[in-house]
Amino acid sequence: MNEYESLAEKRIKSETKFHGDILHIVKDEVTLPNGNQATREVVRHIGAVCVVPVTDDGKVVMERQFRYPIDSVISEIPAGKLDSKDEDRLEAAKRELREETGYSANKWVDMGIYYPAAAYSDEKITMYLATGLTKGTRQLDEDEFLNVELIPIESLVDDIMEGRIADGKTQVAILKAAKLLGRI
Amino acid sequence: MNEYESLAEKRIKSETKFHGDILHIVKDEVTLPNGNQATREVVRHIGAVCVVPVTDDGKVVMERQFRYPIDSVISEIPAGKLDSKDEDRLEAAKRELREETGYSANKWVDMGIYYPAAAYSDEKITMYLATGLTKGTRQLDEDEFLNVELIPIESLVDDIMEGRIADGKTQVAILKAAKLLGRI
């Protein structure tokens, strides 16, 4: 018996509890490895991308954005949901960067994936490093509000280490980008 | 008008859509800064802690665990939900480390917080670095299944940089711990 077989849980039944615009909630009954049954509550999410856009002089294009669930304005890297389950992730990242900040980039590096909450959500975020930036005009939706600012990547690493960046994907992606760029 | 006032959304009404054992889903109507109305779907979560336990010889106590939402066995640091909203977070971290791995630690460093998905969840995770480890006996629940393994922290940093660690909190907390310990 391999590791997957020895630890995996098997679905017995699945019930949709909420079908929203962004969140889809299911409550499943599963069989555990010891034969007992248990319940699993799961968020099904379309998936997302995020980008660390770094200028030639080592500054990151950051966003200040209100996040309703935590009732706070926080600093984040540009990010967004996929338009569809099978949208090309790099294309989605290029779109989000352009729409939210106005920047486009001529070099893109895939920095791997990130499950924000694998215990209860299937959301998968792909992280990119974008360099060779050119500034254009941003195209926010009428109902989208965020401020853009440029921050030196070393300052952001300090902010992360000192606990001043709350957002998970932003912490991971900036630490990875800083290490890739030899700035950590 | 300060930044919060210029970006904040105001709740008009809130409706519970699912009240589960772990996830509590609300769908709220809000007023945007431009006066338009919008809908926000939010996961309310009790909160959690995670720990990077590092042995005297620089190895991290890691867990291999099945995660039902992504149907995979993945490597994670020890972590767990709070028992109650106002449980002391350090005490929760000590409990999770002891129960899941059998280890206790004589030095704890608060590495700050981490919002896994601030766009749609209020879950807040506090990250700790634990050193001065002593091994005891783990006390898993009857229905909890996970394997413990010790991995050098430098190897884990490589795994993160190469995209072999999928879990978000594990990526952040290990990169922070490695930097604090001068191993990055």
Side-chain angles (χ1 to χ4, degrees):
Chain A
M1 190 159 65
N2 66 27
E3 183 191 46
Y4 177 87
E5 289 165 349
S6 69
L7 294 171
E9 301 167 355
K10 291 192 189 65
R11 179 182 300 117
I12 302 168
K13 70 170 190 176
S14 181
E15 200 178 336
T16 294
K17 291 294 185 180
F18 175 62
H19 188 64
D21 293 329
I22 295 170
L23 303 180
H24 184 75
I25 311 295
V26 298
K27 183 174 177 179
D28 291 3
E29 301 294 325
V30 303
T31 305
L32 301 174
N34 63 1
N36 287 352
Q37 291 189 12
T39 298
R40 294 287 175 259
E41 298 165 5
V42 180
V43 177
R44 301 285 177 202
H45 187 284
I46 199 167
V49 292
C50 65
V51 188
V52 182
V54 185
T55 63
D56 291 348
D57 61 347
K59 289 178 178 156
V60 181
V61 182
M62 294 287 291
E63 300 178 355
R64 297 281 297 166
Q65 194 168 3
F66 180 76
R67 290 306 196 175
Y68 181 76
I70 60 172
D71 190 27
S72 302
V73 175
I74 61 175
S75 291
E76 296 178 50
I77 53 174
K81 294 187 296 294
L82 302 182
D83 277 346
S84 66
K85 262 284 182 206
D86 51 5
E87 184 183 18
D88 182 86
R89 287 178 169 257
L90 178 55
E91 290 309 312
K94 290 178 178 176
R95 170 172 46 76
E96 292 295 334
L97 178 62
R98 191 178 57 247
E99 289 180 0
E100 294 184 352
T101 73
Y103 282 90
S104 51
N106 66 26
K107 187 175 175 204
W108 289 81
V109 175
D110 183 333
M111 296 199 296
I113 64 166
Y114 163 96
Y115 286 102
Y120 63 82
S121 170
D122 68 354
E123 183 185 9
K124 182 168 91 171
I125 301 179
T126 306
M127 301 178 282
Y128 294 95
L129 169 60
T131 53
L133 301 184
T134 311
K135 185 156 170 35
T137 311
R138 62 185 190 155
Q139 304 145 325
L140 290 180
D141 293 341
E142 183 199 0
D143 287 345
E144 201 169 17
F145 302 88
L146 58 90
N147 299 328
V148 170
E149 58 186 9
L150 296 179
I151 314 272
I153 192 164
E154 289 88 349
S155 306
L156 289 170
V157 171
D158 289 344
D159 287 343
I160 291 166
M161 293 306 296
E162 300 293 328
R164 290 187 295 267
I165 299 284
D167 181 54
K169 64 184 179 304
T170 300
Q171 294 190 50
V172 180
I174 285 180
L175 289 176
K176 291 187 83 161
K179 189 159 187 327
L180 281 175
L181 295 170
R183 290 176 183 259
I184 196 172
Chain B
M1 191 160 63
N2 64 27
E3 183 191 46
Y4 177 87
E5 289 164 351
S6 69
L7 294 171
E9 301 167 355
K10 292 193 187 63
R11 179 181 300 117
I12 302 168
K13 69 170 191 174
S14 180
E15 200 179 336
T16 293
K17 290 296 186 178
F18 174 63
H19 189 65
D21 293 328
I22 295 170
L23 303 179
H24 184 74
I25 311 295
V26 298
K27 184 175 176 179
D28 291 2
E29 300 294 326
V30 303
T31 306
L32 301 175
N34 62 1
N36 287 352
Q37 290 189 12
T39 298
R40 294 288 175 257
E41 299 165 5
V42 179
V43 177
R44 301 285 177 201
H45 187 284
I46 198 166
V49 292
C50 65
V51 189
V52 183
V54 184
T55 63
D56 292 347
D57 61 347
K59 289 177 178 156
V60 181
V61 183
M62 295 286 292
E63 300 179 355
R64 297 281 296 167
Q65 194 168 4
F66 180 76
R67 290 306 195 177
Y68 180 75
I70 60 172
D71 190 26
S72 302
V73 176
I74 62 175
S75 291
E76 293 179 51
I77 53 174
K81 293 188 297 295
L82 302 182
D83 277 347
S84 66
K85 262 283 182 206
D86 51 4
E87 184 183 17
D88 183 85
R89 286 177 170 256
L90 178 56
E91 291 307 313
K94 290 179 176 175
R95 169 173 46 76
E96 292 295 334
L97 178 62
R98 192 178 57 244
E99 289 179 0
E100 293 184 351
T101 72
Y103 282 90
S104 51
N106 66 26
K107 187 174 174 204
W108 289 81
V109 175
D110 184 331
M111 295 199 296
I113 64 167
Y114 163 97
Y115 286 103
Y120 63 81
S121 170
D122 69 354
E123 183 185 11
K124 181 168 93 170
I125 300 178
T126 306
M127 300 179 281
Y128 293 95
L129 169 60
T131 53
L133 301 184
T134 313
K135 187 159 170 29
T137 311
R138 64 184 189 156
Q139 304 144 325
L140 290 181
D141 294 339
E142 183 199 0
D143 287 345
E144 201 168 18
F145 302 88
L146 58 89
N147 299 327
V148 170
E149 57 186 10
L150 296 179
I151 314 272
I153 193 163
E154 288 88 349
S155 306
L156 289 169
V157 170
D158 289 344
D159 287 343
I160 291 166
M161 294 305 296
E162 299 293 328
R164 290 186 294 266
I165 300 283
D167 181 53
K169 65 182 179 302
T170 301
Q171 294 189 50
V172 180
I174 285 180
L175 290 176
K176 290 187 85 161
K179 188 156 186 332
L180 282 175
L181 295 170
R183 290 178 182 259
I184 196 172

